[in-house]
Structure formats: C-alpha cells, structure tokens
Amino acid sequence: MDLLPFERSTALWTKAAYLRRRLHDLVEVVPADTLDPATLGAAVQLLARLPGASRATQYRLAAGERLGPETSIDKVLVASAEQAVFDLVQAGLAPEVLLGDESHRSAVA
C-alpha cells in the first residue's frame, strides 16, 4: 500500500501527455462533424485538469512527505480522462476500431 501513491502520482504526468497526444491524433484524422463538441470539450477539460490537480501531490512527493489515500483522487482523474479520450476514439473511429481497419491505427494505439 505504501507504493501505490508513488505509482499513481508519478505515472499521472506521463499518462496525461500520452492521452493528450492520442486526442490530438484523433482530432486530426476524423472528419470535423464526427465528434460531439461537448464531449470533446469535456475530454479536453479533463486532460487540462490533470497536471494542476496532481501538483500538490508532486510537491509533497518532492518534499519527501508521506503520500496517502488522497492520491486516489489522482487515479480517478486519470481514469476519467482516459475513458473520455477512448470513448471519443470509439465514437470517431467506430468502423475502423470494430472492424480492424489499420488505416487509423496510430490514432488509437
């Protein structure tokens, strides 16, 4: 249990960067009218919140303080952002994802 907070807090920044890249790739390959603007906006907002929301955790980690269950919030935020991005991938590339078309693989991988 002592290792989980470190795993959650350090992986968050990498995961956020990965998800921002996947969302950027998706927006570049799907037609403009394919994605619901409200859903896309919500995903962008979630991704924008990740670094700020975990900043306190990062500062505590850097100061050598003991991290506790509050890092679970970081995990929930990153899981929510990940779900939002991949829901958009499914909505934007449904035929390719479901039927295995390789033409847009970089947007979902």
Side-chain angles (χ1 to χ4, degrees):
M1 291 305 286
D2 284 337
L3 293 178
L4 264 178
F6 293 99
E7 176 187 327
R8 290 174 178 163
S9 60
T10 56
L12 182 91
W13 292 72
T14 305
K15 181 64 101 172
Y18 170 80
L19 292 171
R20 278 192 302 275
R21 184 72 218 168
R22 296 290 64 86
L23 185 59
H24 178 268
D25 291 347
L26 175 69
V27 170
E28 286 195 342
V29 299
V30 299
D33 61 344
T34 304
L35 301 175
D36 173 48
T39 306
L40 178 59
V44 169
Q45 286 180 344
L46 276 170
L47 290 172
R49 279 186 61 200
L50 290 176
S54 70
R55 191 168 313 253
T57 303
Q58 293 297 320
Y59 285 137
R60 290 184 61 214
L61 185 62
E65 295 178 24
R66 182 176 172 89
L67 300 177
E70 67 278 357
T71 60
S72 296
I73 294 169
D74 294 344
K75 181 183 184 310
V76 169
L77 286 173
V78 78
S80 298
E82 186 173 43
Q83 186 66 53
V85 169
F86 287 107
D87 283 349
L88 284 167
V89 168
Q90 193 276 330
L93 300 174
E96 291 84 359
V97 171
L98 296 174
L99 300 176
D101 184 357
E102 298 290 322
S103 64
H104 297 301
R105 186 174 177 91
S106 65
V108 295

